[in-house]
Amino acid sequence: EYVIQSSRASVRFFTDGAGKWYTDINLITGTLQTKIDGQGAIPSVGTVEAFEVPYNCTITAAKLTADVSGSLVLDVRKITAANYPSTSPYTAAAGTSIVASAPPTLSSAQSSQDATLTGWTLNLSKGDWLQVSITSVSTLFKAKLSLDIARR
């Protein structure tokens, strides 16, 4: 057995004893991302994107970027695998907000980063769904939310 490990992943090479080799790749850190695109216009408040959490993880940072300097506030809501799709999927009211009083925010800026995540619900489970909705927006047309995660 041979193992190669970095800060982002580990790769294990192992044999079945009969000469056949296998590989096992385990991501240690990663990023969950969603894009918001107003299709050439300012996106509407309440616009929602949803994505599934691929494995048990902890959010370690939130990064928000936009195509131009502008203002944007997002809410991120978690829906457990057992409750997805919810009774009101793809609406701002579905699930439970994980961002407390510190939502991802741009304020007359093109990017922001938060590694403190004060009050956030940080632990996610495989199969949870995250829904991202626009609380307020001005000036920009496109944005990307990136959540840095660490596998647990």
Side-chain angles (χ1 to χ4, degrees):
E1 178 175 307
Y2 299 97
V3 177
I4 300 170
Q5 186 154 351
S6 74
S7 61
R8 293 189 58 93
S10 67
V11 181
R12 181 174 66 113
F13 301 94
F14 58 98
T15 181
D16 62 4
K20 188 169 183 180
W21 284 88
Y22 298 91
T23 347
D24 181 24
I25 300 173
N26 182 20
L27 295 177
I28 297 169
T29 62
T31 304
L32 301 175
Q33 293 183 339
T34 189
K35 294 180 183 178
I36 296 168
D37 188 346
Q39 303 291 317
I42 295 172
S44 300
V45 168
T47 299
V48 175
E49 296 293 329
F51 54 94
E52 187 175 9
V53 176
Y55 46 79
N56 295 341
C57 58
T58 300
I59 301 171
T60 59
K63 300 171 189 167
L64 187 56
T65 57
D67 57 336
V68 296
S69 182
S71 296
L72 176 66
V73 179
L74 299 177
D75 188 18
V76 181
R77 303 180 78 81
K78 179 173 86 167
I79 302 172
T80 61
N83 294 324
Y84 190 86
S86 69
T87 54
S88 54
Y90 298 102
T91 68
T96 303
S97 181
I98 67 167
V99 301
S101 60
T105 301
L106 292 176
S107 183
S108 299
Q110 196 167 355
S111 67
S112 70
Q113 181 170 333
D114 181 1
T116 307
L117 305 171
T118 302
W120 279 47
T121 300
L122 300 175
N123 289 331
L124 304 174
S125 299
K126 178 180 180 175
D128 284 347
W129 282 82
L130 294 183
Q131 290 192 23
V132 179
S133 64
I134 298 172
T135 303
S136 66
V137 61
S138 66
T139 311
L140 54 89
F141 302 119
K142 296 179 183 181
K144 179 171 67 173
L145 175 66
S146 302
L147 301 176
D148 290 345
I149 56 173
R151 191 175 195 132
R152 57 176 173 81

